[in-house]
Amino acid sequence: MANPHFDTEVLKDNLSTSWLGQSIRYFPEMESTNTYARKLPSDEIAHGMLCITDNQTKGRGQYNRKWKSHPGKNLVFSLILLPQKTEGFHVLTLSAALSLVEQLNSILGPEKSAHIKWPNDVMIDDRKVAGILTETVFTGNKMERLVIGIGLNVNQDTFAEELSGSATSLSMEKGGKVNRERLLSDILNRFEYKYRLWQQSKTKLLKIINKNILGYGKWVTLQINDKIQEEPYKMLGINETGELLVLNRDGGIETFAYEQIRIASY
Ligand code: BTN
C-alpha cells in the first residue's frame, strides 16, 4: 500500500503557533523544498511559511551533498523566515536543531538521547537522524529571507549500505511508527518560542543550545577550515552571533565562524 500523503489539516489542528507554519505550501513531489523556498517571489512569501513535500527528488545537503529520503516516510521541509535583524542568524539554525532535539528526547525516553552535532546535524546517540541546510537570499546587501531546510528521518526503516552504520530514524530508535503531522506541529510550536527568545537576545537560549551540543565543555578534536587539528580544544559553546568559542591548550580563547569548524571527534 502506498504511504499516505502528509495531511496538512492534522498539522494545523495541532499547531499552537501564531505565525510559524500558518501559511503552508505542500506538494506531493518537488525537487527541493529549499530551492522552492529560495525562488518563491517576495510577494508570495509570508514570515514563517512552511514548504513541505512527501517526495523530494533533488534534495540538497551541506557541502553540495545530496539529501535522500524515502517518499512519504519522513519530514522534508523548509521554513521561510524574514528576521528583522540579521546578526546571529546562525543561532536560529541551532534553535531549530534544539527544537528537534527537545522533541525527540520527549519521545525517546531516558535510555536514548538526542543531541546537536555542531554545526547542524541532529544525532540520536551516535547516529544522524536529521540534517539542516540554512540558506540566505540577499537583495543587494540586505538579507531578504532565511530558509531553514530540515530533513528528519521519521519512519524510514532502511538506509543505503554506505549510511547504514551512521544514519537512523526516529521509528527505528523508538521502536514504532510516529505520526509525522503531530511531530512537525510539536517541533514548530517549540521553534516559534525559541525564535522569540532569539529576537529578544535572551542568553537563556544560548545556554540551552550549549547544553545540548555534543562535546560541550569537553576537550575535542576539531577540524578547522578542512584541517584536522592535532591539539585538542575545549568547547566553550556559542556566543550571541553563533560563533563557537574554544579554549586552546595554551589557555587562549579562540572564536570561529559557524562554517569554519567541525567536530572531528569528541
Ligand atoms: C545535511 O545534513 O547535509 C543537511 C540536509 C538538509 C536536507 C533538507 S530536506 C529539506 C530541505 N530541502 C533540501 O533540498 N535540503 C533540505
Side-chain angles (χ1 to χ4, degrees):
M1 199 180 84
N3 291 308
H5 67 80
F6 186 87
D7 190 337
T8 52
E9 292 308 314
V10 178
L11 170 84
K12 282 186 207 158
D13 286 349
N14 289 284
L15 266 186
S16 58
T17 58
S18 52
W19 52 268
L20 189 59
Q22 291 298 332
S23 158
I24 302 175
R25 295 285 174 100
Y26 164 78
F27 297 92
E29 182 174 287
M30 70 202 299
E31 288 196 355
S32 154
T33 58
N34 260 39
T35 308
Y36 175 84
R38 277 173 57 182
K39 290 192 176 159
L40 208 55
S42 315
D43 58 358
E44 285 188 42
I45 58 175
H47 178 51
M49 183 183 255
L50 167 69
C51 308
I52 183 161
T53 186
D54 272 313
N55 188 18
Q56 195 171 237
T57 53
K58 281 193 186 159
R60 294 183 290 109
Q62 286 284 316
Y63 314 104
N64 286 326
R65 293 191 194 128
K66 291 185 179 141
W67 182 263
K68 291 194 176 153
S69 178
H70 289 180
K73 295 271 185 185
N74 299 321
L75 285 172
V76 172
F77 63 100
S78 301
L79 299 168
I80 301 180
L81 302 174
L82 309 174
Q84 281 166 358
K85 59 172 186 177
T86 51
E87 203 204 21
F89 71 80
H90 288 308
V91 177
L92 281 179
T93 303
L94 290 160
S95 302
L98 177 65
S99 308
L100 296 180
V101 163
E102 286 181 348
Q103 190 54 35
L104 296 178
N105 279 331
S106 79
I107 295 171
L108 287 169
E111 66 285 349
K112 305 235 166 173
S113 116
H115 279 98
I116 301 167
K117 185 173 175 199
W118 181 273
N120 42 23
D121 290 344
V122 174
M123 312 290 288
I124 296 179
D125 297 325
D126 53 1
R127 284 166 192 246
K128 177 162 166 172
V129 69
I132 304 183
L133 177 66
T134 294
E135 298 181 297
T136 48
V137 176
F138 274 81
T139 311
N141 59 2
K142 187 180 179 299
M143 190 173 85
E144 191 230 311
R145 74 185 83 155
L146 189 66
V147 174
I148 299 188
I150 300 181
L152 170 61
N153 299 330
V154 184
N155 290 318
Q156 185 166 328
D157 47 17
T158 55
F159 289 90
E161 207 178 312
E162 68 272 17
L163 292 177
S164 61
S166 59
T168 193
S169 70
L170 179 53
S171 67
M172 285 164 77
E173 299 296 329
K174 177 185 168 272
K177 224 171 154 233
V178 176
N179 180 290
R180 291 185 298 156
E181 291 82 359
R182 280 172 198 275
L183 176 62
L184 181 55
S185 54
D186 289 337
I187 291 167
L188 297 184
N189 293 340
R190 287 180 189 272
F191 187 33
E192 186 177 284
Y193 171 68
K194 289 176 178 41
Y195 188 96
R196 201 172 326 131
L197 296 180
W198 174 76
Q199 263 184 325
Q200 298 165 349
S201 306
K202 296 279 189 214
T203 49
K204 177 169 113 178
L205 177 63
L206 303 182
K207 285 186 189 159
I208 320 173
I209 290 172
N210 283 336
K211 273 211 292 198
N212 282 281
I213 295 181
L214 273 174
Y216 171 61
K218 297 202 176 113
W219 290 92
V220 298
T221 306
L222 293 184
Q223 183 178 325
I224 304 173
N225 299 326
D226 291 335
K227 193 170 179 298
I228 304 234
Q229 305 297 301
E230 279 168 24
E231 294 281 327
Y233 288 81
K234 189 172 187 174
M235 276 181 71
L236 303 178
I238 55 160
N239 63 16
E240 63 286 350
T241 57
E243 295 164 322
L244 186 66
L245 306 184
V246 296
L247 181 72
N248 62 33
R249 281 277 286 265
D250 300 329
I253 293 179
E254 297 180 32
T255 307
F256 291 100
Y258 198 70
E259 313 78 10
Q260 264 184 300
I261 213 163
R262 301 184 73 185
I263 316 294
S265 63
Y266 45 85

